[in-house]
C-alpha cells in the first residue's frame, strides 16, 4: 500500500475510536473527496486533499462522530468541485448533505461587495449551525487548519483571513467553550496581523518562563509528592502556558504592565474522579496557604457554557501567587473543546445555554435589515464580557457586562421585555435602567399596559433588546402613519371633488406600479410620514393612465373649505406643538414634518410663520366634534408674594380635578412671584373655567396663557 500525505493512511490512525463499518464509510468519503479534488492544489503546492485530511484529523482529536468526520472530508466539495448536495445525500444521507451544504459559501456573483458577501455567508452558516451545531465545529476545524497554513498566502489575503478570524471565529469558539481552538486561532491571527508585537511579547514571555522554571519545578514536585502520599491518581500535572494574545489584550484593555500579568505561577492538575478534586484541593491548601477570597467552585456551579473546575490561588515562595486549577479528565476536555466534547461523553442534551445563544442569533437576524448590520450585532454580542444573572427560579441568564435590568427582561423573553415596568434586584425594587452585576437575582415586574418607547433604546445595550424595541416601534409607527396617510389622502381627494373610496382597484394598482409600491398601505405610510405630499399623490392617482379609462382631469385649484379633522386619538403620528401647546377649541394649523407626521400648532403661533413659508407643508386642520383625552397647556400667574400661594393654587386645581404636570416658581422681585404651571385640560372650555376659579385668588395680579414656550426655554 502506498502511503503519503494524500492517502487514506494519513488519516486512518486517527479513526481508532470509530467502528469498522463507520471507518469503511469514511474510506468511501475519502475516495470521493480525493477524486473530486483531483488535480487541485493548495497555494503551498500540496495536493488539495491534504487540507480536508488535516481538518478531519482535528475533528478526530475531539472524537467527533463519523457523520462529522465524513462531512469534514467532503467540506469543500460542493463549493469547489463538481460534487452536488444531492450526490452527497445519495451516498451518505441527509445529515452529511446538510452539513456540507451549510459549510458551502453562496455564489460570489450574488453580492455587491465583500462585506455583503461575508455577512450573507455568515448568516447562512449560522442558520445551518442552529439546526446542527456540528456545522460550526467543522467550520472551526477548517479555519484552524487554514490559519495554521496561513503563511503561504499573499499579505492581503493573510490580513483579511486573520482579521475575520479574530473578529468572528475565535469569539464564536470561545462562546461555545472551545477554548483550545479559540486560543490557537487568536494566537495565529495576532501573529499574522502584528508580527512585531507578537515577537516582542513572545521573547519577554520566554524570559519570564525561564526565570520561573526552577521555582515552578519545586512547586510541582511538592504537589506531586503530596498526591502520591494520598494515593491520588494523577492524569496530568503541569504548569500552565500563558497565552500571548490574551496578555496583549489585557495589557491594552486594562492598562496593566507585562510584569503584573506574568508575575504569577500557574498550574493545572487533571485527575480521575470528581470527589478527588476536593481531596486534592484540601491537600494543596495544606501545602501552601490559600488566598481565601480567590477560591471558586465551578464544579458545584458550572459556568453557563458547561465549564467545570476548581480554582484556587495559593501564596507561593516569596509571596508570588500560584493559580491552581483542579479538574477531571472529562472536565478538562470540556474546558478545551467545549461543545465538541459532547459527542465523546454522549450527552445528547446539548447544553441549553448553547441553544439559547444560537436562537438569540436567529432573533438578531430576524430584526436586522441587512447582513452587514447583522454581523455588527453578532460581534457586539460576542465581544462583551459575560455577566451571569439569576432568575428567581435559579436559572442563569448570560448578559454582556454593562447590561441593565431591561436587557435582562428581554433576555428572558421578548414579551416580558415589551411589558416591563420595574425590576426587583436581590428582592429590592430597582429601576429598569439599573446596570446589573454578577450573581444578582433579578425579577421583572410587568404590566399589560406597558409598552416600549424610543427612550428605552438608551436604557438597553444588548442587540436582542435593541432589536425587539426597534421592531415594536417600527410596527407601531407604521400603523399610525398608514392611518394618518389615509386621512390626508382622503382629504386631498375630497378637495379635488373625488372620493378615495370610489377610486377603482385598477387605477390604484396602476398608480402603485408607477410609484413602485407593492401595497396601498406602503404608499399611505409614506404620505403619513410626510415623505410624499398628499396633494401630489391625489392628483397623481387621479391622472394615472389606465387602459380603457379616461384620465380623470382635475382642477389645479383645490377647494380650501375641506379640512382635516383632529380628534386627539391619532396616536403618535399627530403631535401637539410644544411651543404653543394647542388645546381643543383653539384655531389650529397642521404642519407635515418629514418622518414625524403631523404637528398641530395654534394659528397665531410665531413658529408657524417660519414653517408656513415652506410651501405645501401646512394643511388646514380643525378639531373634530368628538375630541378625546386631555391636552397639555400652560399658564403664567403673577402673584403678590405670600406664603402658601402654591398650596392655594393647587387646592383650587384639585377641586376642579385638574392635573398639574409641572410647576415652576420664580421670584420677580421682593414682592412678586411668577408661577408657570403646565396643566392637563380637555379643551378651551375647561381652561376658561380653571382661569375663572384662579382669578378668585386674592393676591393674583395677572393670569395669561403661556403660548411662547418655545422661545423661552
Ligand atoms: Mn476548507
Amino acid at each position: 500500500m502506498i502511503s503519503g500525505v494524500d492517502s487514506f493512511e494519513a488519516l486512518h490512525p486517527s479513526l481508532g475510536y470509530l467502528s469498522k463499518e463507520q471507518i469503511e464509510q469514511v474510506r468511501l468519503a475519502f475516495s470521493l473527496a480525493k477524486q473530486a479534488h483531483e488535480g487541485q492544489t493548495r497555494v503551498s503546492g500540496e495536493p488539495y486533499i491534504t487540507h480536508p485530511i488535516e481538518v478531519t484529523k482535528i475533528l478526530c482529536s475531539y472524537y467527533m462522530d463519523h457523520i462529522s468526520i465524513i462531512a469534514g472530508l467532503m467540506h469543500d466539495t460542493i463549493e469547489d468541485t463538481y460534487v452536488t448536495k444531492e450526490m452527497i445525500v445519495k451516498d451518505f444521507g441527509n445529515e452529511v448533505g446538510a452539513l456540507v451544504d451549510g459549510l458551502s459559501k453562496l455564489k460570489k456573483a450574488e453580492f455587491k461587495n465583500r462585506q455583503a458577501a461575508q455577512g450573507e455567508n455568515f448568516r447562512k452558516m449560522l442558520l445551518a449551525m442552529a439546526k446542527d451545531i456540528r456545522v460550526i465545529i467543522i467550520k472551526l476545524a477548517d479555519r484552524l487548519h487554514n490559519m495554521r497554513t496561513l503563511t503561504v498566502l499573499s499579505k492581503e489575503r493573510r490580513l483579511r483571513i486573520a482579521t475575520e478570524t479574530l473578529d468572528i471565529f475565535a469569539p464564536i469558539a470561545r462562546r461555545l467553550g472551545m477554548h483550545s481552538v479559540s486560543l490557537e486561532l487568536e494566537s495565529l491571527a495576532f501573529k499574522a496581523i502584528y508580527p512585531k508585537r507578537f515577537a516582542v511579547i513572545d521573547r519577554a514571555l520566554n524570559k519570564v518562563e525561564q526565570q520561573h522554571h526552577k521555582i515552578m519545578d519545586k512547586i510541582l514536585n511538592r504537589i506531586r509528592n503530596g498526591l502520591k502520599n494520598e494515593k491520588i491518581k494523577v492524569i496530568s500535572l503541569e504548569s500552565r502556558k500563558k497565552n500571548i494574545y490574551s496578555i496583549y489584550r489585557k495589557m491594552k484593555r486594562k492598562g496593566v504592565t507585562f510584569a503584573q500579568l506574568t508575575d504569577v505561577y500557574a498550574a493545572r492538575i487533571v485527575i480521575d474522579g470528581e470527589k478527588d478534586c476536593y481531596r486534592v484541593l484540601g491537600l494543596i491548601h495544606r501545602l501552601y496557604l490559600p488566598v481565601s477570597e480567590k477560591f471558586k467552585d465551578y464544579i458545584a456551579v458550572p459556568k453557563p457554557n458547561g465549564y467545570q473546575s476548581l480554582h484556587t490561588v495559593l501564596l507561593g515562595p516569596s509571596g508570588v501567587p500560584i493559580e491552581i486549577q483542579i479538574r477531571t479528565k472529562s472536565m478538562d476536555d470540556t474546558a478545551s473543546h467545549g461543545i465538541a466534547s459532547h459527542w465523546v461523553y454522549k450527552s445528547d442534551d446539548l447544553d441549553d445555554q448553547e441553544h439559547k445563544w444560537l436562537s438569540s442569533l436567529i432573533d438578531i437576524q430576524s430584526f436586522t435589515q441587512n447582513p452587514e448590520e447583522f454581523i455588527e450585532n453578532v460581534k457586539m454580542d460576542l465581544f462583551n464580557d459575560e455577566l451571569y444573572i439569576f432568575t428567581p427560579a435559579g436559572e442563569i441568564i448570560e448578559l454582556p457586562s454593562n447590561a441593565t435590568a431591561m436587557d435582562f427582561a428581554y433576555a428572558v423573553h421578548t414579551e416580558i421585555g415589551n411589558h416591563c415596568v420595574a425590576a426587583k434586584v436581590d428582592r429590592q425594587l430597582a429601576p429598569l435602567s439599573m446596570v446589573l452585576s454578577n450573581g444578582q437575582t433579578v425579577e421583572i415586574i410587568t404590566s399589560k399596559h406597558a409598552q416600549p418607547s424610543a427612550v428605552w433604546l438608551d436604557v438597553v445595550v444588548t442587540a436582542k433588546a435593541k432589536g425587539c424595541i426597534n421592531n415594536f416601534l417600527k410596527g407601531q409607527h407604521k400603523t399610525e402613519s398608514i392611518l394618518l396617510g389615509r386621512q390626508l389622502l382622503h382629504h386631498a381627494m375630497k378637495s379635488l371633488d373625488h372620493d378615495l373610496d370610489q377610486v377603482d382597484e385598477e387605477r390604484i394598482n396602476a398608480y402603485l406600479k408607477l410609484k413602485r409600491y407593492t401595497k396601498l398601505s406602503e404608499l399611505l405610510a409614506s404620505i403619513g410620514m410626510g415623505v410624499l405630499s398628499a396633494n401630489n399623490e391625489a392628483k397623481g392617482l387621479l391622472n394615472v393612465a389606465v387602459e380603457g379609462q379616461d384620465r380623470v382631469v382635475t382642477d389645479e385649484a383645490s377647494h380650501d373649505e375641506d379640512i382635516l379633522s383632529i380628534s386627539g386619538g391619532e396616536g403618535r403620528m399627530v403631535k401637539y406643538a410644544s411651543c404653543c401647546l394647542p388645546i381643543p377649541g383653539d384655531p389650529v394649523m397642521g404642519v407635515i414634518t418629514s418622518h414625524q407626521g403631523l404637528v398641530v400648532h395654534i394659528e397665531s403661533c410665531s413658529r408657524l410663520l417660519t414653517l408656513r413659508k415652506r410651501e405645501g407643508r401646512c394643511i388646514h386642520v380643525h378639531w373634530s366634534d368628538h375630541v378625546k383625552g386631555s391636552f397639555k397647556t400652560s399658564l403664567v400667574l403673577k402673584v403678590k408674594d405670600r406664603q402658601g400661594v402654591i398650596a392655594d393654587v393647587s387646592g383650587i386645581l384639585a377641586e376642579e380635578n385638574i392635573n398639574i404636570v409641572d410647576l415652576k416658581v420664580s421670584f420677580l422681585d421682593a414682592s412678586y412671584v411668577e408661577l408657570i404651571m403646565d396643566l392637563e385640560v380637555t379643551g378651551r372650555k375647561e381652561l376658561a373655567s380653571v382661569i375663572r376659579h384662579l382669578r378668585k385668588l386674592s393676591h393674583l395680579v395677572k393670569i395669561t396663557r403661556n403660548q411662547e414656550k418655545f422661545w423661552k426655554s
Side-chain angles (χ1 to χ4, degrees):
M1 194 180 294
I2 311 155
S3 75
V5 285
D6 59 345
S7 77
F8 186 62
E9 291 317 303
L11 179 63
H12 200 184
S14 312
L15 302 172
Y17 64 98
L18 295 177
S19 76
K20 255 197 178 134
E21 297 78 54
Q22 290 171 341
I23 293 179
E24 278 320 299
Q25 282 194 58
V26 175
R27 191 192 294 272
L28 205 69
F30 175 82
S31 345
L32 188 61
K34 184 161 183 191
Q35 208 174 54
H37 288 296
E38 195 63 64
Q40 297 177 348
T41 51
R42 303 202 84 208
V43 179
S44 62
E46 289 168 292
Y48 194 86
I49 191 70
T50 55
H51 166 64
I53 290 176
E54 289 307 314
V55 169
T56 306
K57 277 186 177 168
I58 295 172
L59 295 171
C60 290
S61 74
Y62 312 147
Y63 302 101
M64 295 294 290
D65 63 348
H66 72 291
I67 300 283
S68 317
I69 299 300
I70 293 170
L73 281 170
M74 309 289 296
H75 82 265
D76 276 332
T77 55
I78 294 185
E79 201 178 306
D80 295 338
T81 77
Y82 56 82
V83 173
T84 61
K85 183 181 175 186
E86 290 67 36
M87 287 163 75
I88 297 178
V89 169
K90 197 173 134 262
D91 287 348
F92 304 103
N94 284 324
E95 266 182 284
V96 179
L99 283 174
V100 179
D101 185 52
L103 288 157
S104 305
K105 285 189 190 133
L106 300 158
K107 293 237 157 46
K108 286 191 187 84
E110 293 165 24
F111 302 105
K112 57 179 194 293
N113 58 40
R114 177 158 280 147
Q115 268 94 357
Q118 187 196 34
E120 199 52 63
N121 279 319
F122 183 52
R123 179 144 78 161
K124 178 181 180 237
M125 188 186 74
L126 281 177
L127 291 173
M129 132 184 174
K131 281 194 208 116
D132 191 335
I133 192 82
R134 289 175 291 189
V135 166
I136 191 65
I137 298 173
I138 300 168
K139 181 69 202 177
L140 288 169
D142 176 35
R143 181 50 62 112
L144 187 56
H145 183 243
N146 284 335
M147 286 301 294
R148 283 176 183 169
T149 53
L150 195 65
T151 43
V152 295
L153 300 184
S154 70
K155 193 176 174 194
E156 194 232 320
R157 276 183 75 191
R158 237 166 32 218
L159 280 180
R160 179 165 56 77
I161 295 175
T163 307
E164 192 188 56
T165 300
L166 218 46
D167 274 2
I168 297 171
F169 291 102
I172 288 184
R174 192 173 46 238
R175 187 59 190 69
L176 294 173
M178 301 173 71
H179 291 285
S180 65
V181 177
S182 78
L183 287 177
E184 191 179 344
L185 285 177
E186 281 170 353
S187 240
L188 291 165
F190 178 55
K191 194 175 175 181
I193 301 173
Y194 300 112
K196 285 197 188 115
R197 297 180 201 188
F198 183 91
V200 169
I201 299 177
D202 190 37
R203 217 174 304 135
L205 201 56
N206 278 331
K207 215 168 139 195
V208 167
E209 264 158 16
Q210 266 168 26
Q211 287 164 359
H212 282 187
H213 188 65
K214 258 196 180 155
I215 299 176
M216 199 63 218
D217 268 0
K218 255 191 204 155
I219 296 170
L220 292 183
N221 270 330
R222 200 167 162 200
I223 295 176
R224 196 172 290 122
N225 287 332
L227 291 167
K228 215 173 174 182
N229 291 339
E230 295 277 327
K231 297 198 172 53
I232 295 171
K233 196 183 155 219
V234 181
I235 291 172
S236 77
L237 167 62
E238 50 199 20
S239 67
R240 246 163 57 220
K241 274 246 175 283
K242 290 196 182 60
N243 179 271
I244 295 179
Y245 181 61
S246 48
I247 288 178
Y248 171 71
R249 205 167 40 186
K250 276 184 194 156
M251 282 169 69
K252 235 179 108 177
R253 196 181 49 195
K254 297 186 176 165
V256 280
T257 63
F258 180 78
Q260 278 172 302
L261 284 169
T262 51
D263 199 13
V264 300
Y265 304 116
R268 179 175 305 140
I269 307 171
V270 179
I271 49 158
D272 227 357
E274 189 176 309
K275 259 189 249 149
D276 279 347
C277 290
Y278 294 96
R279 278 178 68 203
V280 173
L281 182 77
L283 172 90
I284 58 172
H285 279 183
R286 285 196 298 278
L287 296 176
Y288 295 97
L289 207 61
V291 181
S292 60
E293 72 272 23
K294 291 289 171 78
F295 170 69
K296 289 214 176 78
D297 186 349
Y298 291 118
I299 292 180
V301 186
K303 285 190 186 177
N305 62 14
Y307 176 87
Q308 285 189 299
S309 187
L310 296 177
H311 289 187
T312 185
V313 178
L314 312 169
L315 222 49
S318 64
V320 178
I322 318 170
E323 292 174 4
I324 306 269
Q325 299 176 347
I326 307 162
R327 55 175 82 141
T328 66
K329 178 77 175 69
S330 82
M331 291 173 195
D332 195 46
D333 283 346
T334 306
S336 53
H337 302 145
I339 49 156
S341 61
H342 285 277
W343 278 269
V344 203
Y345 296 102
K346 298 281 175 245
S347 46
D348 313 314
D349 54 330
L350 246 194
D351 214 310
D352 242 15
Q353 289 295 330
E354 261 95 50
H355 271 160
K356 264 191 203 149
W357 178 61
L358 287 172
S359 59
S360 81
L361 290 183
I362 307 290
D363 279 354
I364 295 173
Q365 90 105 23
S366 68
F367 292 139
T368 44
Q369 305 288 321
N370 55 49
E372 289 97 324
E373 189 187 328
F374 170 64
I375 220 166
E376 277 316 305
N377 276 314
V378 172
K379 273 192 214 164
M380 197 169 89
D381 254 31
L382 282 170
F383 274 105
N384 281 309
D385 284 337
E386 292 146 4
L387 199 61
Y388 303 137
I389 307 294
F390 293 92
T391 67
E395 198 192 335
I396 298 178
I397 301 277
E398 234 180 303
L399 291 167
S401 62
N402 47 349
T404 61
M406 192 182 277
D407 284 301
F408 173 85
Y410 275 103
V412 173
H413 197 280
T414 306
E415 281 308 299
I416 295 190
N418 279 343
H419 295 289
C420 61
V421 286
K424 274 186 182 170
V425 175
D426 290 334
R427 296 205 209 124
Q428 299 282 314
L429 213 56
L432 290 161
S433 58
M434 181 170 166
V435 175
L436 302 175
S437 36
N438 237 330
Q440 284 173 328
T441 299
V442 179
E443 187 184 339
I444 297 295
I445 301 163
T446 58
S447 149
K448 257 197 297 199
H449 307 293
Q451 62 178 43
S453 72
V455 190
W456 288 23
L457 289 169
D458 296 330
V459 176
V460 298
V461 299
T462 53
K464 178 172 182 196
K466 281 207 158 86
C468 291
I469 296 169
N470 269 324
N471 209 33
F472 181 90
L473 294 179
K474 237 183 265 165
Q476 205 184 36
H477 207 62
K478 189 108 187 256
T479 338
E480 288 165 1
S481 341
I482 294 171
L483 277 173
L484 177 65
R486 180 175 288 282
Q487 278 191 49
L488 291 171
L489 186 62
H490 191 81
H491 152 67
M493 297 280 284
K494 250 186 167 172
S495 67
L496 295 166
D497 283 331
H498 285 272
D499 190 338
L500 180 60
D501 300 328
Q502 308 274 305
V503 180
D504 64 273
E505 214 168 299
E506 237 175 306
R507 175 165 296 279
I508 288 177
N509 287 337
Y511 189 60
L512 289 177
K513 204 172 160 198
L514 178 80
K515 298 288 282 189
R516 293 171 198 277
Y517 280 94
T518 47
K519 282 189 229 136
L520 181 61
S521 59
E522 308 272 316
L523 178 79
L524 295 176
S526 294
I527 297 174
M529 284 188 293
V531 178
L532 298 175
S533 133
N535 279 329
N536 291 343
E537 296 316 301
K539 282 175 197 154
L541 180 59
L542 292 171
N543 279 308
V544 72
V546 180
E547 230 177 291
Q549 278 188 30
D550 291 333
R551 264 183 42 165
V552 183
V553 184
T554 55
D555 290 336
E556 269 310 297
S558 48
H559 311 276
D560 251 352
E561 62 266 26
D562 202 75
I563 49 183
L564 187 69
S565 95
I566 297 289
S567 69
E570 285 85 2
R572 293 174 320 134
M573 287 316 289
V574 173
K575 293 194 179 73
Y576 300 94
S578 55
C579 44
C580 50
L581 296 172
I583 55 173
D586 287 336
V588 282
M589 210 40 198
V591 179
I592 303 271
T593 57
S594 130
H595 298 287
Q596 291 218 46
L598 182 73
V599 182
V600 179
H601 290 261
I602 294 182
E603 248 182 16
S604 58
C605 174
S606 43
R607 278 205 77 199
L608 257 185
L609 288 175
T610 11
L611 295 166
R612 244 179 183 163
K613 282 181 190 145
R614 285 190 240 162
E615 231 182 315
R617 314 289 287 170
C618 284
I619 60 163
H620 291 280
V621 291
H622 80 139
W623 299 99
S624 114
D625 296 337
H626 315 283
V627 177
K628 285 180 284 194
S630 49
F631 297 78
K632 199 160 114 179
T633 187
S634 184
L635 290 178
V636 188
L637 281 73
K638 192 176 171 190
V639 189
K640 263 208 186 116
D641 183 20
R642 186 178 63 86
Q643 285 213 317
V645 66
I646 294 173
D648 288 349
V649 169
S650 29
I652 290 172
L653 292 173
E655 224 163 275
E656 296 297 303
N657 263 325
I658 299 294
N659 226 355
I660 305 180
V661 183
D662 194 13
L663 178 67
K664 283 194 201 90
V665 185
S666 51
F667 294 88
L668 296 175
D669 53 43
S671 44
Y672 293 103
V673 194
E674 187 180 68
L675 302 179
I676 299 178
M677 288 190 298
D678 289 353
L679 315 169
E680 277 179 346
V681 294
T682 52
R684 268 176 90 112
K685 242 183 170 170
E686 189 172 54
L687 183 64
S689 131
V690 168
I691 293 177
R692 213 165 41 243
H693 282 92
L694 286 172
R695 279 198 205 283
K696 290 180 196 153
L697 282 168
S698 54
H699 293 261
L700 184 83
V701 181
K702 198 176 153 198
I703 179 164
T704 48
R705 218 172 135 187
N706 182 14
Q707 290 186 346
E708 295 289 334
K709 281 188 73 108
F710 179 81
W711 303 109
K712 276 191 178 162
S713 56

